[in-house]
Amino acid sequence: MVAAAVLGLMASAMPANAQVGTGPWTAENPSFNVQERGCGNVDGLDFELTCSTGSGDQRAERRYVTYTGGTRQFEGSFRITSMAGTRISLKQTFRDAPTAGPYFMLAVERGGRLYAVHGGDTLGSGATVGTSVRVNTVHQVGSTHKVYINGSLKQTVSSSSGSYYDKFGAYRTASGAGPVKVTWSGIKFWRK
């Protein structure tokens, strides 16, 4: 019993192992705000856009606190439970400063194609209703931003210095429309 307690303490003192990228990683638990706009609804880790409008700000998201410098990793899995719409952003890395605006947006089209909104690169397929998909982003501020889908590296782009934050949920892109329902799970964050 004492040995089990000692092993438990040793395990909790060890650095957290992330799913992708080289470590060592330190787990963190950043705070967030819920954003509901237009026809967006958030219930825990369930995110829904109830309308089919192709205009206005339609979002149901978690927006995490801003980070500056270092390397940050996000991990989460999403499962679309219904999707009559298309071109819905699921995960974003957003720039906060020096100029605020979207830096990376992972979106899904009806039919399951995953793509980067800026540039249009296909990052995966098979993100259909009922299928679980794991997403990792590894952001080395001032160097690179990498996107992994189900553990496979799908995109590497350069990153400038500045301040950024993570968002996930369901967000209508400029060319998209709902309705959509998506459930996220296994949300984890690390830094190094």
Side-chain angles (χ1 to χ4, degrees), residues 11-59:
S12 66
M14 296 174 68
N17 291 319
Q19 291 291 330
V20 299
T22 58
W25 296 97
T26 300
E28 58 181 6
N29 189 20
S31 61
F32 63 87
N33 292 319
V34 171
Q35 296 183 333
E36 296 176 316
R37 295 193 187 150
C39 64
N41 295 311
V42 178
D43 181 10
L45 288 172
D46 295 324
F47 303 85
E48 180 179 19
L49 301 179
T50 60
C51 60
S52 60
T53 182
S55 63
D57 190 3
Q58 313 300 329
R59 71 176 64 196

Side-chain angles (χ1 to χ4, degrees), residues 16 25-30 65 67 71-73 166 187-192:
W25 296 97
T26 300
E28 58 181 6
N29 189 20
V65 296
Y67 59 87
T71 302
R72 311 297 172 123
Q73 180 168 178
D166 289 300
I187 306 304
K188 298 174 186 174
F189 292 88
W190 296 273
R191 63 177 170 79
K192 68 173 180 176

